[in-house]
Amino acid sequence: MTPGDEVVVALDVGGTGMKCALVRPDGATVHAERHATDAARGPEAVVGTILDVAEGLAGKARADGLTPVACGIAVPGVVDEARGVAVWSANVGFRDVPLRDLARERLDLPTALGHDVRVGGLAEARLGAGRDAGHVLFVAIGTGIAAAHVVDGAAAVGAHGAAGEIGHILVRPDGPPCGCGRPGCLEAVASASAIGRRYAELSGAPATAAEVADRAAAGEPLAGQVWREAVEALADGLATGQALFDVATIVIGGGLAQAGPRLFDPLRTALRERLTFHREPRLVAAALGDEAGCLGAALLALDTLAKESR
Ligand SMILES: [Zn+2]
């Protein structure tokens, strides 16, 4: 066996789909496949699919002359990485699933379980847009908003597996209700879903966040107002993040980052206006796209392997 033969079995499990790959230790993907999560089948069936897919990937690696050395699995929700337990997930339905041990037993490989956004941040900080920054805040903005604080290549997990919930920073006390049950959270104002919802509410016509961005850029006043309000709220949230973490780079990922300069130019200005003595972080778009979760799951598995062999 030469080191070039080693691969990690990596899975990024989302509410609708699973991104799966065989990843080399240097972060190169040698094989990728996608499967439906079909969460409506219930958590047991989803776990069954995760284990079958992981086993299939390990078999595929061996058939191709590669050596699977570890398995990394990323899931959404609250994840206890130390115990390897998917504690809670709204969109996949997990409640205290010991996914790490289940995968370890099935595959007979060292396995790590991580949180989808935290491992995405890990990948962006080590292989993507935050490379060489040391202190990175990765913020994923899509249907919700979540973050990962990565210092020297390791993402903070929190005492209860729930670090990084920047989407639930209170930014508008009189604002719209959040899925968590409280009004005015950042993600209730500035997530891609919230932007579309707000525009629909004011205009009476449905629109995606991308369409709101396009219309704002084309000079439509209502779209401009909705977009501006979201950018201001995001800047409030990021300023709080910077006050807490003092990072060198903030990496923005998720669907909203695709708005490009329409997001980044006003957001950079609004963030600058809110910082006083804090140093302004570099504000950049994520570089790894939707592969970040899979790559991060692989990195987490390799980190665990390195710790175990020490
Ligand atoms: Zn909330």
Side-chain angles (χ1 to χ4, degrees), residues 78-144:
V78 177
V79 181
D80 185 334
E81 288 181 13
R83 291 193 303 132
V85 174
V87 177
W88 181 86
S89 157
N91 48 2
V92 189
F94 291 148
R95 300 286 181 278
D96 289 317
V97 179
L99 203 45
R100 181 191 61 194
D101 290 352
L102 290 172
R104 191 155 54 189
E105 276 160 32
R106 174 75 81 89
L107 275 69
D108 198 20
L109 287 175
T111 299
L113 181 70
H115 176 265
D116 57 352
V117 175
R118 284 202 295 267
V119 299
L122 203 62
E124 285 291 346
R126 278 157 62 171
L127 305 169
R131 220 170 31 196
D132 306 324
H135 294 249
V136 174
L137 185 65
F138 171 68
V139 183
I141 309 174
T143 52

Side-chain angles (χ1 to χ4, degrees), residues 58-256:
K60 155 101 181 130
R62 292 190 185 101
D64 291 351
L66 302 167
T67 306
V69 292
C71 173
I73 303 173
V75 297
V78 177
V79 181
D80 185 334
E81 288 181 13
R83 291 193 303 132
V85 174
V87 177
W88 181 86
S89 157
N91 48 2
V92 189
F94 291 148
R95 300 286 181 278
D96 289 317
V97 179
L99 203 45
R100 181 191 61 194
D101 290 352
L102 290 172
R104 191 155 54 189
E105 276 160 32
R106 174 75 81 89
L107 275 69
D108 198 20
L109 287 175
T111 299
L113 181 70
H115 176 265
D116 57 352
V117 175
R118 284 202 295 267
V119 299
L122 203 62
E124 285 291 346
R126 278 157 62 171
L127 305 169
R131 220 170 31 196
D132 306 324
H135 294 249
V136 174
L137 185 65
F138 171 68
V139 183
I141 309 174
T143 52
I145 301 180
H149 179 215
V150 184
V151 178
D152 297 333
V157 174
H160 313 95
E165 293 288 358
I166 199 172
H168 302 282
I169 288 180
L170 180 62
V171 292
R172 300 287 180 270
D174 301 322
C178 179
C180 75
R182 188 182 67 176
C185 291
L186 178 59
E187 76 174 36
V189 181
S191 66
S193 325
I195 292 169
R197 216 161 38 227
R198 179 70 175 146
Y199 182 84
E201 192 182 287
L202 295 178
S203 70
T208 63
E211 288 163 351
V212 175
D214 287 346
R215 289 173 199 176
E220 188 196 302
L222 184 61
Q225 179 202 325
V226 170
W227 190 251
R228 204 160 41 243
E229 283 172 5
V231 165
E232 302 257 312
L234 273 178
D236 287 340
L238 294 184
T240 299
Q242 184 63 356
L244 289 171
F245 302 130
D246 181 32
V247 295
T249 302
I250 295 179
V251 179
I252 307 282
L256 205 68

